[in-house]
Amino acid sequence: MYGERAIAEASLLCFENPRPGRVYEISITLPEFTCLCPFSGYPDFATLQLLYQPGPRVMELKAIKLYVNSYRDRTISHEEVVNRLLDDFVAACDPVWMQLEADFNPRGNVHTVIRASHGVRQPS
């Protein structure tokens, strides 16, 4: 299927920042993130909130969507997935500042929110 192929081949594409001299923020919400629990194998669902101040490059939205969807069958902890995604996003676009938050759906009466950041946020 073309969707599965697109997800399997996903990479984080970027384009040149159209306003490199201006401090501004980009906010992206990904409400349908899923991965697999490394202990039970059950699916974990989360809303990802990405907020960043671009450096030389801006991440392309469809590329982010496909890349994030590639985690749906990965067995990975909440903590590791947030840190790995953040590392990959930072490597792709070299932001001035970036924060990634994952708000995982409650399971077994436990609600988890993981937040990680990179760089120093500038006033905008």
Side-chain angles (χ1 to χ4, degrees):
M1 298 179 136
Y2 77 92
E4 291 174 343
R5 187 171 55 251
I7 290 169
E9 297 170 357
S11 62
L12 291 169
L13 303 175
C14 297
F15 57 91
E16 294 300 312
N17 183 348
R19 295 291 181 143
R22 176 175 288 155
V23 177
Y24 66 98
E25 295 185 348
I26 299 171
S27 177
I28 301 166
T29 302
L30 301 146
E32 299 176 342
F33 176 79
T34 186
C35 61
L36 299 174
C37 174
F39 301 103
S40 68
Y42 292 141
D44 284 323
F45 300 93
T47 296
L48 301 181
Q49 182 66 47
L50 178 65
L51 180 62
Y52 73 104
Q53 295 175 327
R57 293 176 298 283
V58 174
M59 289 191 296
E60 197 273 327
L61 294 176
K62 184 177 179 184
I64 293 171
K65 175 186 79 171
L66 292 172
Y67 179 76
V68 164
N69 284 343
S70 75
Y71 277 78
R72 71 180 179 196
D73 294 324
R74 290 191 197 187
T75 302
I76 190 167
S77 71
H78 296 171
E79 296 80 7
E80 179 60 17
V81 76
V82 171
N83 282 287
R84 188 174 300 173
L85 285 170
L86 181 65
D87 288 346
D88 291 348
F89 292 160
V90 167
C93 70
D94 190 24
V96 172
W97 171 81
M98 181 177 278
Q99 177 179 283
L100 179 62
E101 178 181 287
D103 186 347
F104 285 88
N105 292 4
R107 184 168 2 120
N109 200 31
V110 176
H111 177 220
T112 307
V113 177
I114 308 293
R115 189 176 302 114
S117 62
H118 165 85
V120 178
R121 191 175 193 178
Q122 305 297 310
S124 57

